[in-house]
Amino acid sequence: MASDSESFDLSILGLSPVEGKRLELEAELGEFEFAGEPYRPEPQPCPVVVDVTRMNNGGWSLKLAFETTMRGTCMRCLGPAERTIAVEVREVDQVDGGEELDSPYINGTEVALNQWAHDSLALALPTQVICRPQCLGLCPRCGIDLNADPGHEHEADKDPRWSKLDELKFD
Ligand SMILES: [Zn+2]
Ligand SMILES: [Zn+2]
Protein backbone atom coordinates (compact mmCIF):
# COMPACT_ATOMS: atom_id res chain seq x y z
CA MET A 1 0.00 0.00 0.00
CA ALA A 2 1.43 3.32 -1.03
CA SER A 3 -0.16 5.11 1.90
CA ASP A 4 1.90 3.07 4.36
CA SER A 5 5.00 4.95 3.39
CA GLU A 6 3.38 8.32 4.04
CA SER A 7 5.34 10.27 6.58
CA PHE A 8 5.89 13.74 7.89
CA ASP A 9 9.09 15.55 8.69
CA LEU A 10 9.80 16.79 12.21
CA SER A 11 12.50 19.20 11.04
CA ILE A 12 9.97 21.61 9.53
CA LEU A 13 8.58 22.28 13.02
CA GLY A 14 11.76 24.20 13.87
CA LEU A 15 11.66 23.06 17.48
CA SER A 16 14.50 23.91 19.85
CA PRO A 17 15.50 21.36 22.48
CA VAL A 18 12.82 20.83 25.15
CA GLU A 19 10.27 22.61 22.99
CA GLY A 20 7.06 20.89 22.07
CA LYS A 21 4.20 21.24 19.66
CA ARG A 22 0.79 19.69 19.16
CA LEU A 23 -0.05 18.71 15.59
CA GLU A 24 -3.45 17.87 14.22
CA LEU A 25 -2.96 15.49 11.32
CA GLU A 26 -4.71 12.73 9.45
CA ALA A 27 -3.63 9.11 9.16
CA GLU A 28 -4.66 6.21 6.97
CA LEU A 29 -5.37 3.32 9.34
CA GLY A 30 -5.65 0.63 6.69
CA GLU A 31 -7.74 -2.52 7.03
CA PHE A 32 -7.66 -5.43 9.44
CA GLU A 33 -8.64 -9.07 9.21
CA PHE A 34 -9.52 -11.54 11.95
CA ALA A 35 -10.53 -15.12 11.24
CA GLY A 36 -11.00 -14.29 7.58
CA GLU A 37 -13.43 -11.43 8.29
CA PRO A 38 -12.57 -7.87 7.26
CA TYR A 39 -12.65 -5.10 9.86
CA ARG A 40 -12.57 -1.51 8.74
CA PRO A 41 -11.79 1.49 10.92
CA GLU A 42 -13.72 4.67 10.15
CA PRO A 43 -13.36 7.46 9.26
CA GLN A 44 -10.43 7.27 6.89
CA PRO A 45 -8.31 9.21 6.82
CA CYS A 46 -8.70 9.50 10.57
CA PRO A 47 -7.97 12.75 12.46
CA VAL A 48 -5.07 12.21 14.86
CA VAL A 49 -3.28 14.37 17.41
CA VAL A 50 0.50 14.11 17.62
CA ASP A 51 2.34 15.77 20.52
CA VAL A 52 5.95 16.27 19.55
CA THR A 53 8.66 17.10 22.08
CA ARG A 54 12.24 17.62 21.08
CA MET A 55 14.52 16.30 23.79
CA ASN A 56 17.66 18.12 24.84
CA ASN A 57 19.90 15.34 23.54
CA GLY A 58 18.52 15.75 20.04
CA GLY A 59 16.04 12.90 20.27
CA TRP A 60 12.27 13.01 19.96
CA SER A 61 9.39 12.05 22.17
CA LEU A 62 6.06 11.66 20.41
CA LYS A 63 2.56 10.89 21.57
CA LEU A 64 -0.14 9.79 19.15
CA ALA A 65 -3.83 9.84 20.04
CA PHE A 66 -6.92 9.11 17.99
CA GLU A 67 -10.31 7.52 18.16
CA THR A 68 -11.81 5.29 15.51
CA THR A 69 -14.92 3.22 15.01
CA MET A 70 -14.25 -0.35 13.95
CA ARG A 71 -16.89 -1.96 11.77
CA GLY A 72 -17.04 -5.64 10.98
CA THR A 73 -18.53 -8.94 12.02
CA CYS A 74 -19.29 -9.77 15.64
CA MET A 75 -16.91 -12.55 16.63
CA ARG A 76 -19.57 -14.19 18.80
CA CYS A 77 -22.83 -14.01 16.84
CA LEU A 78 -21.57 -13.10 13.34
CA GLY A 79 -23.94 -10.11 13.23
CA PRO A 80 -22.72 -6.61 12.40
CA ALA A 81 -20.43 -5.14 15.06
CA GLU A 82 -19.34 -1.59 15.62
CA ARG A 83 -16.92 -0.58 18.32
CA THR A 84 -15.23 2.70 19.14
CA ILE A 85 -11.60 2.32 20.12
CA ALA A 86 -9.43 5.04 21.65
CA VAL A 87 -5.72 4.75 21.01
CA GLU A 88 -2.99 6.61 22.87
CA VAL A 89 0.63 5.59 22.38
CA ARG A 90 4.07 7.05 22.86
CA GLU A 91 7.32 6.64 20.97
CA VAL A 92 10.76 7.81 21.95
CA ASP A 93 13.64 8.07 19.53
CA GLN A 94 17.04 9.03 20.83
CA VAL A 95 20.32 9.44 19.05
CA ASP A 96 22.42 6.49 20.25
CA GLY A 97 19.52 5.48 22.44
CA GLY A 98 20.00 1.78 21.84
CA GLU A 99 17.27 -0.59 20.73
CA GLU A 100 14.80 0.38 23.46
CA LEU A 101 14.81 4.04 22.54
CA ASP A 102 15.05 3.68 18.79
CA SER A 103 11.52 3.97 17.48
CA PRO A 104 10.81 1.93 14.35
CA TYR A 105 8.45 4.71 13.26
CA ILE A 106 10.90 7.59 13.57
CA ASN A 107 13.76 7.58 11.13
CA GLY A 108 15.91 10.66 11.59
CA THR A 109 13.26 13.38 11.46
CA GLU A 110 10.81 11.34 9.36
CA VAL A 111 7.77 9.90 11.12
CA ALA A 112 5.97 6.98 9.45
CA LEU A 113 2.60 8.17 10.72
CA ASN A 114 0.30 5.75 8.86
CA GLN A 115 2.29 2.69 9.85
CA TRP A 116 2.51 3.85 13.45
CA ALA A 117 -1.23 4.50 13.61
CA HIS A 118 -2.06 1.17 11.97
CA ASP A 119 0.18 -0.87 14.26
CA SER A 120 -1.02 0.96 17.38
CA LEU A 121 -4.62 0.24 16.48
CA ALA A 122 -3.83 -3.43 15.90
CA LEU A 123 -2.40 -3.61 19.43
CA ALA A 124 -5.25 -1.65 20.98
CA LEU A 125 -7.98 -3.75 19.39
CA PRO A 126 -9.83 -5.89 21.82
CA THR A 127 -9.16 -9.54 21.17
CA GLN A 128 -12.80 -9.83 20.28
CA VAL A 129 -14.75 -7.32 18.26
CA ILE A 130 -18.27 -7.94 19.45
CA CYS A 131 -21.61 -6.29 18.72
CA ARG A 132 -22.27 -5.46 22.39
CA PRO A 133 -20.62 -6.39 25.69
CA GLN A 134 -23.37 -8.83 26.60
CA CYS A 135 -23.62 -10.53 23.20
CA LEU A 136 -24.75 -14.11 23.84
CA GLY A 137 -23.20 -15.51 20.66
CA LEU A 138 -24.34 -18.62 18.85
CA CYS A 139 -25.57 -21.84 20.41
CA PRO A 140 -22.58 -24.18 20.36
CA ARG A 141 -24.90 -27.11 19.57
CA CYS A 142 -27.18 -25.85 16.82
CA GLY A 143 -25.72 -22.48 15.85
CA ILE A 144 -28.81 -20.31 16.31
CA ASP A 145 -28.30 -16.70 17.40
CA LEU A 146 -28.89 -16.71 21.17
CA ASN A 147 -29.51 -12.94 21.18
CA ALA A 148 -32.74 -13.61 19.27
CA ASP A 149 -33.74 -16.38 21.69
CA PRO A 150 -32.05 -15.85 25.07
CA GLY A 151 -34.00 -18.68 26.72
CA HIS A 152 -32.89 -21.17 24.09
CA GLU A 153 -31.94 -24.51 25.61
CA HIS A 154 -31.66 -28.07 24.45
CA GLU A 155 -33.59 -30.78 26.25
CA ALA A 156 -30.49 -32.48 27.61
CA ASP A 157 -29.27 -29.19 29.14
CA LYS A 158 -32.18 -29.00 31.53
CA ASP A 159 -33.13 -32.62 31.97
CA PRO A 160 -33.03 -33.06 35.77
CA ARG A 161 -31.97 -36.66 35.41
CA TRP A 162 -28.65 -35.54 33.95
CA SER A 163 -27.84 -33.25 36.84
CA LYS A 164 -28.72 -36.05 39.26
CA LEU A 165 -26.31 -38.31 37.43
CA ASP A 166 -23.63 -35.65 37.68
CA GLU A 167 -24.14 -35.37 41.43
CA LEU A 168 -23.81 -39.11 41.81
CA LYS A 169 -20.55 -39.15 39.91
CA PHE A 170 -19.03 -36.58 42.20
CA ASP A 171 -20.15 -38.26 45.42
ZN1 LIG B 1 -22.78 -10.38 18.66
ZN1 LIG C 1 -29.11 -24.69 20.18
Side-chain angles (χ1 to χ4, degrees):
M1 281 188 287
S3 60
D4 278 350
S5 60
E6 210 165 281
S7 59
F8 70 94
D9 192 343
L10 295 168
S11 63
I12 60 165
L13 299 176
L15 291 176
S16 307
V18 205
E19 250 188 333
K21 201 165 203 166
R22 167 164 287 197
L23 306 173
E24 286 178 13
L25 302 168
E26 289 188 326
E28 292 288 345
L29 302 173
E31 306 233 349
F32 298 81
E33 197 183 293
F34 295 118
E37 298 286 341
Y39 292 86
R40 186 171 163 76
E42 289 175 5
Q44 296 223 51
C46 180
V48 302
V49 173
V50 181
D51 285 309
V52 180
T53 304
R54 186 168 182 189
M55 299 190 292
N56 52 17
N57 61 2
W60 301 93
S61 171
L62 270 63
K63 193 179 88 178
L64 167 68
F66 61 92
E67 204 174 88
T68 180
T69 299
M70 197 60 116
R71 279 181 224 279
T73 301
C74 173
M75 289 174 175
R76 288 190 195 162
C77 73
L78 307 181
E82 186 181 303
R83 190 171 246 209
T84 300
I85 297 166
V87 175
E88 192 179 301
V89 287
R90 215 173 263 283
E91 284 287 324
V92 171
D93 194 69
Q94 283 188 345
V95 184
D96 302 324
E99 226 168 85
E100 293 269 300
L101 298 173
D102 183 16
S103 169
Y105 307 112
I106 307 170
N107 184 10
T109 56
E110 292 276 313
V111 179
L113 181 62
N114 289 343
Q115 192 63 49
W116 185 19
H118 175 88
D119 293 353
S120 304
L121 179 55
L123 291 174
L125 279 179
T127 48
Q128 290 201 318
V129 177
I130 50 179
C131 61
R132 65 196 111 154
Q134 53 291 68
C135 173
L136 297 170
L138 302 178
C139 172
R141 292 204 188 184
C142 68
I144 78 151
D145 184 352
L146 296 176
N147 298 304
D149 184 6
H152 174 78
E153 272 181 287
H154 291 263
E155 279 308 310
D157 293 338
K158 56 182 178 186
D159 188 330
R161 282 172 300 177
W162 287 106
S163 45
K164 285 233 174 70
L165 267 180
D166 281 340
E167 281 165 33
L168 284 174
K169 269 185 241 159
F170 285 110
D171 278 340

